[in-house]
Amino acid sequence: EVQLQESGPGLVKPSQSLSLTCSVTGYSITSNYWGWIRKFPGNKMEWMGYISYSGSTSYNPSLKSRISITRDTSKNQFFLQLNSVTTEDTATYYCARYYMGINYWGQGVMVTVSS
Amino acid sequence: DIQMTQSPSLLSASVGDRVTINCKASQNINKYLNWYQQKLGEAPKLLIYNTNNLQTGIPSRFSGSGSGTDYTLTISSLQPEDFGTYFCFQHNSWPGTFGSGTKLEIK
């Protein structure tokens, strides 16, 4: 079965970069699409972007200048980098596989942006 | 972006009840609508994809319907393990967007 697990710092300072790793087991990230979603306090959710089986990416226009999604196929991991964070980036971040919509999710990692 | 309006936000029901949750899109999403269940501290679980297709392993008491802009998740006979938060997700157009969630409590 496909399993995804997010990891990374739970606290980031304003203006710095947020970096998260998604480790995937049970399925190769060289197939399908793999992305990041976040859930804000108050429960609004946002689809941030994805990286495809070929390594191409697509980002939510609301984040386009700040976001980067990359991967390491040898480790079956993909990564999120979000630059110049503010307190409004405080959220729970999920990685997911995208096929017929989102069909597998990680448990999520809470990231707080605070000085 | 397509806006998804989900209702109700809170639902309290008894075991055995029939329960419905609704999502309304701001434009036609061509049945590209999924439903998820999430319990506290757990990963969201896909229940229904593309309006009415039951994900493997999901009990048949869950069903989905709809077209155009209006979609419904139905639980035919509520079970104690069905508590949690349910949300919809449209993937007709990029970026996909989410409903605001329905918290289902068991009376």
Side-chain angles (χ1 to χ4, degrees):
Chain A
E1 185 180 354
V2 181
Q3 293 190 320
L4 300 95
Q5 180 67 58
E6 306 88 350
S7 59
L11 181 64
V12 180
K13 288 182 166 40
S15 79
Q16 293 189 344
S17 292
L18 179 162
S19 296
L20 298 175
T21 298
C22 183
S23 300
V24 180
T25 56
Y27 203 88
S28 171
I29 64 169
T30 59
S31 296
N32 291 142
Y33 295 76
W34 305 86
W36 292 94
I37 301 108
R38 61 183 178 175
K39 185 176 185 178
F40 298 100
N43 295 326
K44 180 183 175 182
M45 297 181 77
E46 178 179 60
W47 192 196
M48 300 178 71
Y50 66 76
I51 187 164
S52 78
Y53 55 90
S54 66
S56 63
T57 55
S58 184
Y59 302 130
N60 190 320
S62 68
L63 298 167
K64 189 157 188 169
S65 62
R66 296 198 293 136
I67 188 174
S68 176
I69 298 176
T70 57
R71 65 179 184 171
D72 183 337
T73 56
S74 68
K75 294 182 178 178
N76 217 39
Q77 294 176 328
F78 63 102
F79 312 100
L80 170 69
Q81 182 170 318
L82 186 65
N83 300 322
S84 305
V85 298
T86 72
T87 56
E88 294 188 353
D89 294 308
T90 292
T92 298
Y93 287 76
Y94 298 90
C95 61
R97 186 180 86 168
Y98 185 89
Y99 176 72
M100 297 282 202
I102 304 163
N103 61 0
Y104 285 99
W105 302 63
Q107 284 190 302
V109 59
M110 187 167 180
V111 178
T112 300
V113 179
S114 175
S115 55
Chain B
D1 295 359
I2 294 175
Q3 306 304 311
M4 301 300 297
T5 302
Q6 185 171 342
S7 62
S9 56
L10 178 64
L11 185 54
S12 184
S14 299
V15 172
D17 283 354
R18 181 181 181 88
V19 166
T20 60
I21 298 170
N22 301 293
C23 268
K24 186 175 183 66
S26 59
Q27 63 191 72
N28 182 7
I29 56 171
N30 297 302
K31 297 192 172 185
Y32 289 107
L33 190 284
N34 291 4
W35 291 98
Y36 301 87
Q37 176 197 61
Q38 186 175 23
K39 297 186 178 182
L40 201 62
E42 297 183 7
K45 180 193 299 183
L46 176 64
L47 303 173
I48 302 283
Y49 62 94
N50 294 347
T51 295
N52 56 11
N53 296 280
L54 194 66
Q55 175 70 347
T56 303
I58 301 302
S60 58
R61 63 180 180 274
F62 291 92
S63 64
S65 62
S67 63
T69 61
D70 294 297
Y71 298 84
T72 299
L73 172 71
T74 300
I75 308 173
S76 60
S77 179
L78 195 64
Q79 298 301 301
E81 62 267 29
D82 296 337
F83 73 92
T85 298
Y86 293 78
F87 61 92
C88 61
F89 170 68
Q90 72 79 18
H91 57 105
N92 178 68
S93 62
W94 174 254
T97 48
F98 298 86
S100 54
T102 296
K103 185 176 182 180
L104 176 57
E105 298 178 339
I106 310 295
K107 281 182 186 174

